[in-house]
Amino acid sequence: MDMNKIKTIIFACLLFSITNELLAQFPGKYWVKFKDKNFSPYSVGIPSAYLSARSIARRANQGIGTDITDIPVNQTYINQVNATGAQVFQRSKWMNAAVVIINNASQLSAINSLTCVLSSAPVGKYIKTKSEEELSVNAITPSSNKQSSVSSYSYGPSFTQINQIGADCMHELGFRGQGIVIAVIDAGFENVNTNPVFDSLRNEGRLLGTRDYVAGNTSVNEDYLHGANCLSLIAGNTPGQLIGTAPKSEYWLIRSEDAATEKIIEENNWVVAAEFADSVGADITTTSLGYTTFDNPSQNHVYADLNGRTAVASIAATMAARKGIFVLNAAGNEGGGAWNYIGVPADADSICTVGAVNGSGVHAGFSSVGPTSDGRIKPDLSSMGQNAYVCNSNGAFSTGNGTSYATPILAGAVACLWQAHPNRTNMAILHALKVTASQSTNPDNIYGWGIPNICDAHNYLNLHNDVGLQESDVNRSVVIFPNPAHNQVNFSLNEKIEKVKLMDVLGNDVAFSLTEKQSNTFELVFNTEMANGVYFISIKTTEGVINSKFVKE
């Protein structure tokens, strides 16, 4: 064959391939970033124009102000993008960006030529075809044989996951999440509007609203079941079967995940969902989602991305925490697999990444591990995610596995703790959970700081009257010995003691005697008839407050 003809055929094939590749991108969703927020009609000094009163109050309570990231995307820029024939689908004020539906290459070129545009990148096809996969759970026969000793609720089979983290203790004290707003960000909430497990949530008007950032509407009840299952672990209320960890909290249900696909746009959707949760004043966000690899391999994350500063969802998760939200995210279910590590946004800084254990407190093999690529310990805490007792979207009760379940179980308990200490910051709450958890003195990348006990954290906060609890307080402790103890403990301290306090896990003062046995070594003797369990010592010195704990047996 003539060489010129061969070259012509090769060129034609190459052109056809490139053309098809370009056409395959359209219609598509692009992440368009803007250069600035110049000439905005909004002001940092007047946040009521773009944030709810509750959002402003949450920040003010924690000494957090508004900044340029809170200012909405400039509407003039949005208009310029729409004028190209493309359609702005969503917008992100934190990232100063928008998700734009672009129909052809000429629209993309026109957008990139706008002086207000910094960059653009494809994030997903507009039309999606992959079918949904059902969440695997094991249906079991309803049973109420296993009961809590707490008279307030009949927990039934859900007792183990409640009791493991001390949520039943908080319920008995009257803290059931009242007044705390939780935003659940997930893939859909099938039948939440009819499922009997949510009767009290609906009837008491505590379902504040819904948003769907996948479809661009407010309807989530017909979407995937995963979010509804997770919600049952927090908000469910069927006595004798399942009681959620925060059965009296208020809820926003937000869909950010398209269960039919795995596209990087779902991270962008999460950003917008978190911004909405912030704007309506959510105190807590809980997300049982995570991202590592995608349908399009070119978008896959690599381990080096897990530094909390690379993936857009991780950046946003940290921002949400810095704006006063207590952010929880599932560690992921890649443990022992090819990936093994946590995903995005579980790598974010200042959030609570949750791993899974079984009912005996043993690490679930599927639970993803840390560290982050920059060396931070992850997960932060662990709760029951193996054989968790959950309500399906059809109203049937089942057991299921996943850090997806460990996360909402803990989220509801956090709501109870924050309700008890409303003037504390989100970081103070997280700190209290860590320093009283089962591995507080020896955290690792499997359990994190361990399994929390919410009542222990509650008592710890009672012992600290200073609102601004800092992570550095971990070092302000003394070694108590023997531990476990029978009727006395000892400690050494080179500071002048002004006051010592001994308390049980409910915050009750316990009588004791204190004697200095030798220079800087003290013996604390208590009543041998005290109930077995965890006790806290708070020592006020001329240099500050020191806290420790021991177990009486």
Side-chain angles (χ1 to χ4, degrees), residues 79-88 100-104 107 110-111:
N79 294 342
Q80 290 179 29
V81 170
N82 285 334
T84 67
Q87 177 191 350
V88 172
V100 182
I101 300 172
I102 298 177
N103 298 297
N104 52 58
Q107 289 179 359
I111 289 171

Side-chain angles (χ1 to χ4, degrees), residues 456-469:
D456 285 0
H458 169 56
N459 186 58
Y460 180 84
L461 290 167
N462 280 334
L463 289 171
H464 288 76
N465 294 322
D466 55 315
V467 174
L469 206 60

Side-chain angles (χ1 to χ4, degrees), residues 127-139:
I127 300 173
K128 303 183 179 178
T129 58
K130 184 179 176 182
S131 62
E132 292 186 353
E133 295 180 0
E134 292 297 315
L135 180 68
S136 176
V137 292
N138 301 312

Side-chain angles (χ1 to χ4, degrees), residues 359-434:
S360 299
V362 178
H363 173 74
F366 59 78
S367 185
S368 295
V369 301
T372 61
S373 64
D374 58 340
R376 287 174 290 115
I377 291 175
K378 288 289 179 177
D380 295 276
L381 296 167
S382 298
S383 65
M384 188 170 166
Q386 184 172 343
N387 290 324
Y389 196 69
V390 61
C391 184
N392 261 330
S393 62
N394 62 3
F397 295 93
S398 307
T399 58
N401 300 323
T403 57
S404 286
Y405 291 159
T407 305
I409 288 172
L410 182 55
V414 171
C416 298
L417 180 62
W418 213 353
Q419 177 198 355
H421 302 275
N423 293 325
R424 299 306 177 98
T425 67
N426 58 347
M427 291 295 97
I429 296 295
L430 179 57
H431 171 72
L433 290 167
K434 285 183 174 181

Side-chain angles (χ1 to χ4, degrees), residues 121-182:
V123 289
K125 285 288 290 177
Y126 181 50
I127 300 173
K128 303 183 179 178
T129 58
K130 184 179 176 182
S131 62
E132 292 186 353
E133 295 180 0
E134 292 297 315
L135 180 68
S136 176
V137 292
N138 301 312
I140 62 176
T141 303
S143 168
S144 58
N145 293 331
K146 190 173 183 181
Q147 298 292 337
S148 167
S149 60
V150 177
S151 60
S152 303
Y153 284 117
S154 176
Y155 292 103
S158 66
F159 173 69
T160 302
Q161 62 210 40
I162 294 274
N163 174 258
Q164 185 182 68
I165 57 175
D168 53 335
C169 169
M170 295 300 288
H171 292 173
E172 181 67 5
L173 293 174
F175 302 112
R176 291 111 187 237
Q178 298 96 316
I180 301 296
V181 174
I182 302 175

Side-chain angles (χ1 to χ4, degrees), residues 38-366:
N38 293 344
F39 312 111
S40 173
Y42 299 102
S43 166
V44 169
I46 310 177
S48 58
Y50 46 86
L51 292 175
S52 68
R54 203 179 193 289
S55 178
I56 296 169
R58 185 197 66 235
R59 295 165 184 237
N61 192 50
Q62 302 181 64
I64 300 170
T66 52
D67 58 38
I68 191 64
T69 63
D70 296 305
I71 299 293
V73 177
N74 195 317
Q75 184 61 45
T76 301
Y77 298 167
I78 299 298
N79 294 342
Q80 290 179 29
V81 170
N82 285 334
T84 67
Q87 177 191 350
V88 172
F89 185 67
Q90 294 169 5
R91 57 190 80 182
S92 166
K93 57 185 178 182
W94 291 354
M95 303 299 164
N96 197 24
V99 174
V100 182
I101 300 172
I102 298 177
N103 298 297
N104 52 58
S106 62
Q107 289 179 359
L108 178 60
S109 177
I111 289 171
N112 285 330
S113 68
L114 294 173
T115 57
C116 62
V117 169
L118 178 65
S119 63
S120 65
V123 289
K125 285 288 290 177
Y126 181 50
I127 300 173
K128 303 183 179 178
T129 58
K130 184 179 176 182
S131 62
E132 292 186 353
E133 295 180 0
E134 292 297 315
L135 180 68
S136 176
V137 292
N138 301 312
I140 62 176
T141 303
S143 168
S144 58
N145 293 331
K146 190 173 183 181
Q147 298 292 337
S148 167
S149 60
V150 177
S151 60
S152 303
Y153 284 117
S154 176
Y155 292 103
S158 66
F159 173 69
T160 302
Q161 62 210 40
I162 294 274
N163 174 258
Q164 185 182 68
I165 57 175
D168 53 335
C169 169
M170 295 300 288
H171 292 173
E172 181 67 5
L173 293 174
F175 302 112
R176 291 111 187 237
Q178 298 96 316
I180 301 296
V181 174
I182 302 175
V184 185
I185 306 175
D186 214 285
F189 301 86
E190 185 178 58
N191 296 334
V192 165
N193 57 330
T194 58
N195 193 332
V197 79
F198 301 119
D199 280 352
S200 61
L201 176 64
R202 297 189 302 266
N203 295 339
E204 294 170 12
R206 293 184 288 103
L207 182 52
L208 302 182
T210 60
R211 290 292 186 277
D212 185 338
Y213 288 108
V214 177
N217 56 42
T218 60
S219 179
V220 300
N221 297 316
E222 74 286 357
D223 295 309
Y224 197 51
L225 54 81
H226 187 259
N229 288 9
C230 293
L231 180 65
S232 73
L233 297 165
I234 328 174
N237 189 356
T238 299
Q241 285 297 329
L242 187 152
I243 303 295
T245 44
K248 292 294 183 181
S249 285
E250 301 169 47
Y251 293 87
W252 280 94
L253 309 183
I254 309 174
R255 181 181 180 226
S256 69
E257 165 88 357
D258 185 349
T261 64
E262 194 70 354
K263 304 287 189 182
I264 201 166
I265 190 174
E266 290 158 4
E267 288 190 36
N268 305 90
N269 293 344
W270 192 93
V271 174
V272 180
E275 290 180 17
F276 176 79
D278 168 49
S279 70
V280 296
D283 301 297
I284 295 169
T285 63
T286 177
T287 304
S288 293
L289 304 170
Y291 304 99
T292 54
T293 57
F294 300 95
D295 296 342
N296 180 355
S298 68
Q299 297 175 332
N300 287 353
H301 289 302
V302 295
Y303 179 67
D305 293 341
L306 301 182
N307 57 20
R309 303 182 301 277
T310 298
V312 66
S314 301
I315 296 170
T318 299
M319 291 185 70
R322 301 288 166 82
K323 294 180 187 298
I325 298 173
F326 193 105
V327 180
L328 298 99
N329 204 96
N333 301 327
E334 304 292 336
W339 181 270
N340 193 43
Y341 295 106
I342 58 171
V344 168
D347 63 317
D349 187 19
S350 304
I351 76 166
C352 182
T353 299
V354 185
V357 296
N358 64 18
S360 299
V362 178
H363 173 74
F366 59 78

